[in-house]
Amino acid sequence: MEKIQEGHLEIESHRLDFIRREIERINKEEAPPREFYSLASEDCYQMTRDSERDMDYETGEFPRFEQLDGAMVDVDKEEREGLTLIKDATFSKGGKAIFRLSELMPRGWLVIASAFIGRDFVHPGRKCIVLQRGFLTSVGGRLGAIHEIAHAQDFSENPMNREELISTLKNMSLLDREGGAWEIAKKILQDLKRRGVQWFPEQFEAEELEKMIQLCIQSHKFANENPPKQSR
């Protein structure tokens, strides 16, 4: 079995293959609510100050960009077996790093940016969070990221028993953990603010964040109460 040691990450080929299949399955599911899609796609919710300057036009992605408050964001990623692995993302001001995304990730967890908009998920069994492509460049992408990171921290600190794990693998989310994950996410945001890191625009946090959190929770309830029919 192929095993690749990378820093503190031990990445096995079967782990990536499993996640790839999950991404393909979830990407085929029903589109997310219009509000979620808007947060990731509309220009008014983009986090890049100058997209024409910072975009890599060959890939359509932003390996390095200036965000709205003037901070620079450098994304360290690698393409492996058809997936985009995010090794880290560094936020800096005045040429000095003030925050790295890896600081929020539990030891041994992967961040993969290969999902469609609104199909972010966490897989505690494989220690992986899957986010939409270019998640750092939009409010919607960051909303999904901070929530799934909170789940990863929760699952790392509060491991699941077998019954709970099976339920999670089946539903990709647990309603009794959703509210807790958002509380963790809010604490993360507070800490980032103290460090001078702008994760969301101030206006979004003040006027829309709580509304979107409640919409996310309601969407999870609907999905669990109305599971997709299994194909025969």
Side-chain angles (χ1 to χ4, degrees), residues 94-157:
K96 182 179 180 180
I98 59 173
F99 166 69
R100 289 182 173 85
L101 186 67
S102 57
E103 297 174 37
L104 300 179
M105 294 303 300
R107 184 178 179 84
W109 279 67
L110 297 178
V111 178
I112 295 177
S114 297
F116 291 164
I117 290 176
R119 272 77 164 194
D120 311 293
F121 67 88
V122 60
H123 198 293
R126 303 287 172 160
K127 293 185 177 180
C128 180
I129 65 172
V130 177
L131 306 172
Q132 67 186 53
R133 299 178 180 92
F135 65 92
L136 285 172
T137 61
S138 71
V139 169
R142 293 189 180 202
L143 184 69
I146 203 72
H147 178 60
E148 302 306 342
I149 288 171
H151 267 311
Q153 291 187 5
D154 180 26
F155 288 133
S156 180
E157 296 174 4

Side-chain angles (χ1 to χ4, degrees), residues 44-188:
C44 62
Y45 291 114
Q46 297 308 297
M47 295 296 298
T48 57
R49 179 184 291 276
D50 190 337
S51 60
E52 292 187 5
R53 178 193 63 193
D54 294 333
M55 179 186 289
D56 180 342
Y57 282 91
E58 290 186 3
T59 64
E61 297 185 2
F62 295 80
R64 186 173 194 268
F65 65 92
E66 181 183 6
Q67 65 175 28
L68 301 177
D69 66 339
M72 299 302 300
V73 182
D74 290 88
V75 182
D76 183 6
K77 63 180 181 178
E78 178 181 349
E79 301 297 324
R80 182 176 296 173
E81 300 184 32
L83 298 175
T84 301
L85 276 64
I86 304 300
K87 300 163 71 175
D88 213 344
T90 302
F91 290 62
S92 59
K93 287 185 176 180
K96 182 179 180 180
I98 59 173
F99 166 69
R100 289 182 173 85
L101 186 67
S102 57
E103 297 174 37
L104 300 179
M105 294 303 300
R107 184 178 179 84
W109 279 67
L110 297 178
V111 178
I112 295 177
S114 297
F116 291 164
I117 290 176
R119 272 77 164 194
D120 311 293
F121 67 88
V122 60
H123 198 293
R126 303 287 172 160
K127 293 185 177 180
C128 180
I129 65 172
V130 177
L131 306 172
Q132 67 186 53
R133 299 178 180 92
F135 65 92
L136 285 172
T137 61
S138 71
V139 169
R142 293 189 180 202
L143 184 69
I146 203 72
H147 178 60
E148 302 306 342
I149 288 171
H151 267 311
Q153 291 187 5
D154 180 26
F155 288 133
S156 180
E157 296 174 4
N158 303 288
M160 298 173 294
N161 58 38
R162 179 175 175 78
E163 180 180 359
E164 191 177 14
L165 176 60
I166 291 174
S167 178
T168 299
L169 298 183
K170 181 179 179 181
N171 299 312
M172 300 312 299
S173 66
L174 285 173
L175 288 178
D176 58 357
R177 290 207 184 224
E178 284 303 302
W182 282 116
E183 291 305 313
I184 294 172
K186 291 177 183 178
K187 291 179 181 178
I188 293 173

Side-chain angles (χ1 to χ4, degrees), residues 23-41:
I23 292 172
E24 291 173 353
R25 180 181 66 81
I26 292 174
N27 278 346
K28 295 177 182 177
E29 293 183 354
E30 185 178 354
R34 179 181 58 80
E35 292 88 346
F36 295 157
Y37 193 89
S38 297
L39 289 180
S41 61

